[in-house]
């Protein structure tokens, strides 16, 4: 039993020593889940993006299936994502309930594909950078980049 544990530890150290990293680009370094949103302004008005906490401006976070389900509480970051998916991406009709379920993941994959980025259904810093975001108090959307 100890031999297996030692072998596994040595293999892990070997991967770390050679610089091998396992993960998805854009989400591998995002250690926390988005819990709030921040408001941004451009020449057309204001829009909101999921961030680590309300008003932090820190987009180094992720959202994935299951977020918003803990204790039945709704996640405000998930709500911002759902609003933008509905307004800014054709055919999206996701319930804005703050719970990241299969429908939200599927629509996010479609949005990711439309932007030419990895369509994994996980919202992270890369998706945040390329997403179109719903403008507050207006009917339009911001324009996110294309990879």
């Amino acid at each position: 039993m100890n031999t297996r544990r030692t072998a596994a530890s040595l293999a892990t150290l070997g991967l770390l020593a050679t610089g091998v990293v396992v993960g998805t680009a854009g989400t591998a370094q995002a250690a926390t889940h988005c819990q709030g949103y921040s408001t941004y302004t451009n020449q057309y008005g204001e829009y909101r993006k999921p961030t680590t906490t309300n008003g932090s401006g820190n987009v180094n976070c992720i959202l994935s299936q299951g977020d918003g389900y803990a204790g039945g509480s709704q996640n405000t970051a998930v709500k911002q994502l759902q609003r933008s998916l509905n307004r800014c991406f054709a055919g999206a009709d996701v319930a804005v309930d703050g719970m990241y379920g299969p429908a939200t993941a599927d629509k996010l994959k479609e949005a990711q594909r439309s932007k030419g980025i990895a369509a994994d259904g996980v919202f992270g810093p890369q998706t945040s950078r390329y997403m179109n975001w719903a403008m507050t108090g207006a009917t339009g959307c911001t324009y996110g980049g294309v990879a």
Side-chain angles (χ1 to χ4, degrees):
M1 194 70 147
N2 286 338
T3 308
R4 285 185 185 161
R5 215 177 284 149
T6 302
S9 295
L10 289 173
T12 302
L13 287 173
L15 289 173
L16 290 173
T18 59
V20 174
V21 178
V22 177
T24 303
T27 60
Q29 295 173 349
T32 63
H33 284 259
C34 306
Q35 297 296 320
Y37 65 86
S38 294
T39 302
Y40 299 87
T41 304
N42 64 17
Q43 68 269 28
Y44 304 109
E46 291 184 349
Y47 60 98
R48 296 178 179 155
K49 293 170 76 166
T51 53
T52 55
T53 57
N54 284 334
S56 70
N58 184 352
V59 297
N60 191 29
C61 57
I62 62 171
L63 289 170
S64 59
Q65 279 198 61
D67 280 334
Y69 285 93
S73 63
Q74 298 175 344
N75 184 314
T76 58
V78 174
K79 281 185 174 184
Q80 293 306 318
L81 176 62
Q82 291 168 330
R83 282 186 186 109
S84 289
L85 287 170
N86 283 342
R87 184 180 298 170
C88 304
F89 294 93
D93 188 20
V94 179
V96 181
D97 58 7
M99 297 186 187
Y100 200 116
T104 301
D106 288 346
K107 292 304 175 184
L108 183 63
K109 286 178 189 176
E110 290 177 25
Q112 289 169 324
R113 277 191 289 277
S114 78
K115 293 297 183 176
I117 58 177
D120 58 5
V122 175
F123 175 86
Q126 181 183 45
T127 302
S128 179
R129 185 171 43 255
Y130 289 100
M131 273 276 299
N132 294 347
W133 295 101
M135 303 299 292
T136 58
T139 59
C141 297
T142 64
Y143 175 74
V146 177

